[in-house]
Amino acid sequence: MKALGIAATGMMAQQTNVDVISNNIANANTTGFKSARASFTDLIYENQSREGAVTAEEGTTRPVGLDIGLGVRSVGTLRLNTQGGLTQTENQLDLAIDGRGYFAVNMPDGNQAYTRDGSFRLSAEGQIVNHQGFEIDPGVVLPDNTTSIEISETGIVSAYVDGDPIPVEVGQLTLTTFVNDAGMRPLGNNLLEATVASGDAIPALPGDEGVGILRQGYLEASNVDIIRQITDLIQAQRAYEMNSKAISTADQMMSAANQIK
């Protein structure tokens, strides 16, 4: 009887499903977080009777086969890159991307990472950095005695210095897109890195065709739908319980068969 092994694969798959859902719920308030969905595939089949096999000398064939599946396995987590809601903060260095795109961040090892989290700050040198102190790319340095900052929807950064009514343009923020956003690898700390699956980074300006614009004084909220996650959690729990019940039933059947012998 293969039911024990088959049901065990179902329980392991639902454990993965619950792990993914739990991470979504845990990050319901994480800036720029994108929820994920576990995906599964069926395992190979044991063919006990081939469909199309000849069943009589007259040439009649079997219309269907007898294939017993061996269970299920997890194959990946699909990140759902839908737009999160915009939350007003009134902080001049908070930026939300309204549309497609990522901010590029220069990592200490010389590589680049990408993020939707636009909660930026200033370093001691006046550079615009993320909450870990990593400089955004291209770098923007504000002049001394800057009193306020203005960032346009197209990414132009202007600074008002010493109360001068005429702002000074100090930089241009850019965005990065990918052919396959779902193929990016999460690093934690709201950062993602490019992979072979995602394709190379495609630099663009905010407002370009197919690229989002910037909203100063806003942050993008997580796109996690709590109601949907709770519903998915209940479904995963029910599926886990049913697989557990299948193992219990198979065990009882095997015990009964052994007693007959």
Side-chain angles (χ1 to χ4, degrees):
M1 181 176 288
K2 302 177 180 62
L4 290 173
I6 294 172
T9 66
M11 294 180 71
M12 289 187 289
Q14 292 309 319
Q15 285 180 345
T16 300
N17 196 18
V18 170
D19 289 342
V20 173
I21 295 170
S22 298
N23 186 61
N24 289 340
I25 295 173
N27 285 281
N29 293 319
T30 300
T31 301
F33 178 80
K34 302 302 180 184
S35 61
R37 175 173 56 82
S39 56
F40 307 95
T41 185
D42 51 351
L43 296 178
I44 61 174
Y45 287 77
E46 180 181 283
N47 179 259
Q48 298 182 356
S49 179
R50 180 69 63 185
E51 58 277 2
V54 176
T55 58
E57 293 181 358
E58 290 75 16
T60 57
T61 58
R62 189 181 300 277
V64 295
L66 179 57
D67 301 299
I68 306 299
L70 299 182
V72 63
R73 68 184 178 94
S74 307
V75 293
T77 50
L78 176 63
R79 189 168 53 255
L80 308 176
N81 290 301
T82 56
Q83 177 77 44
L86 302 187
T87 303
Q88 187 173 14
T89 66
E90 297 183 359
N91 187 322
Q92 294 181 353
L93 286 175
D94 283 344
L95 295 174
I97 303 173
D98 190 358
R100 288 191 64 205
Y102 299 85
F103 296 109
V105 178
N106 293 323
M107 304 290 285
D109 61 4
N111 293 322
Q112 281 196 331
Y114 305 91
T115 183
R116 296 276 298 187
D117 183 358
S119 53
F120 298 128
R121 300 294 180 265
L122 289 180
S123 69
E125 294 76 26
Q127 296 175 316
I128 296 181
V129 297
N130 71 353
H131 63 277
Q132 293 176 289
F134 302 154
E135 183 184 14
I136 62 172
D137 184 68
V140 176
V141 180
L142 298 179
D144 295 337
N145 302 320
T146 296
T147 56
S148 64
I149 307 164
E150 185 177 280
I151 303 175
S152 70
E153 293 183 348
T154 56
I156 298 174
V157 183
S158 302
Y160 290 86
V161 181
D162 287 333
D164 190 336
I166 300 176
V168 178
E169 186 175 321
V170 294
Q172 168 73 61
L173 298 179
T174 63
L175 294 177
T176 303
T177 61
F178 294 87
V179 174
N180 176 28
D181 297 45
M184 301 175 72
R185 180 181 299 118
L187 302 175
N189 293 312
N190 287 351
L191 297 175
L192 303 164
E193 70 175 356
T195 66
V196 174
S198 69
D200 294 332
I202 305 172
L205 294 176
D208 284 354
E209 184 177 358
V211 182
I213 60 175
L214 302 183
R215 303 288 190 185
Q216 185 181 19
Y218 290 83
L219 288 177
E220 182 186 10
S222 167
N223 71 348
V224 173
D225 184 341
I226 288 294
I227 302 302
R228 177 61 182 271
Q229 297 301 317
I230 295 299
T231 303
D232 290 346
L233 188 61
I234 293 172
Q235 291 178 338
Q237 180 184 7
R238 294 291 181 264
Y240 187 91
E241 291 173 350
M242 291 303 296
N243 280 287
S244 176
K245 182 64 175 177
I247 289 178
S248 177
T249 300
D251 182 57
Q252 292 173 10
M253 293 173 65
M254 292 176 64
S255 297
N258 289 333
Q259 290 175 3
I260 293 174
K261 294 179 181 179

